[in-house]
Amino acid sequence: NLFMNEFPLTVRRSVELIGLFVLGMILVAGSGVITPLLLSFFLSIVFLPLHRRLMRKKVPEILSIAICVLILLVLLGLIVWFFSAQIGKLIQDFPQLEKNVMVHLNTLSAWVNEKTNFSTDRQLTILREQSSKFINNAGSMLGGAATSVTSVFVLLGLVPIYIFLIIFYKNLLLR
């Protein structure tokens, strides 16, 4: 701190800004590791009372941590089951939704034709042009989706391992 006081204020602020920029770059570059670690840290805090209760009941430490991780996996499984059941119901209702959307689109098309003098054929031409542009960009979107799905699976794979290690080595980490 005494060393930095020798420099003019503009130099000190410049060094601080460069430091913040480098910190931001490190956070962006390391987000694949930092995100699971932070999530695991907070989930470890959530499961720590259960772990301590199991330890008081003379459950071995490894088994106690394994029970906590198993409960986490069961909760994740229940969440996945819930969302997949909701998506299944949405798929069952899809024919009715499609009919409703078509009715509304026809009404909208008639309104647009009335207000702007765009005929239905002209509207369909514009929609076809835009959908072809969308299809051209679909490859990059699918690549981004595949990357997102992969990162989610990596996250879900690392979190239980990190939780196990954080709880197991909590005494070492707190020193």
Side-chain angles (χ1 to χ4, degrees), residues 144-159:
T147 303
S148 296
V149 168
T150 303
S151 65
V152 166
F153 283 131
V154 168
L155 178 80
L156 292 177
L158 288 176
V159 166

Side-chain angles (χ1 to χ4, degrees), residues 52-137:
R52 287 185 176 149
R53 178 174 290 146
L54 290 172
M55 292 294 293
R56 271 186 268 139
K57 294 190 184 257
K58 306 288 191 237
V59 175
E61 186 174 17
I62 301 286
L63 184 60
S64 171
I65 298 171
I67 289 170
C68 292
V69 171
L70 186 64
I71 289 172
L72 173 70
L73 294 176
V74 167
L75 288 174
L76 282 175
L78 287 172
I79 291 170
V80 168
W81 171 77
F82 173 76
F83 281 113
S84 64
Q86 295 301 314
I87 290 171
K89 289 179 183 177
L90 179 67
I91 290 172
Q92 287 175 351
D93 293 341
F94 193 74
Q96 182 62 36
L97 290 171
E98 188 177 23
K99 288 177 188 173
N100 289 344
V101 167
M102 289 307 295
V103 167
H104 290 297
L105 281 177
N106 289 334
T107 305
L108 179 64
S109 176
W111 181 81
V112 168
N113 187 18
E114 177 187 322
K115 296 292 182 184
T116 63
N117 294 326
F118 273 107
S119 67
T120 304
D121 292 334
R122 176 72 178 133
Q123 292 173 33
L124 288 175
T125 305
I126 292 171
L127 285 174
R128 281 191 201 105
E129 290 172 3
Q130 295 303 316
S131 64
S132 67
K133 288 180 186 176
F134 177 76
I135 289 172
N136 290 337
N137 294 331

Side-chain angles (χ1 to χ4, degrees), residues 3-62:
F3 177 73
M4 285 299 287
N5 285 336
E6 296 174 7
F7 291 109
L9 180 64
T10 55
V11 173
R12 286 185 286 180
R13 294 301 176 248
S14 299
V15 170
E16 290 170 359
L17 285 174
I18 291 171
L20 286 173
F21 177 76
V22 169
L23 178 66
M25 292 298 294
I26 290 171
L27 288 175
V28 168
S31 66
V33 175
I34 294 170
T35 303
L37 274 174
L38 284 176
L39 183 62
S40 301
F41 174 74
F42 289 122
L43 287 173
S44 297
I45 291 173
V46 169
F47 283 113
L48 198 56
L50 176 64
H51 169 67
R52 287 185 176 149
R53 178 174 290 146
L54 290 172
M55 292 294 293
R56 271 186 268 139
K57 294 190 184 257
K58 306 288 191 237
V59 175
E61 186 174 17
I62 301 286

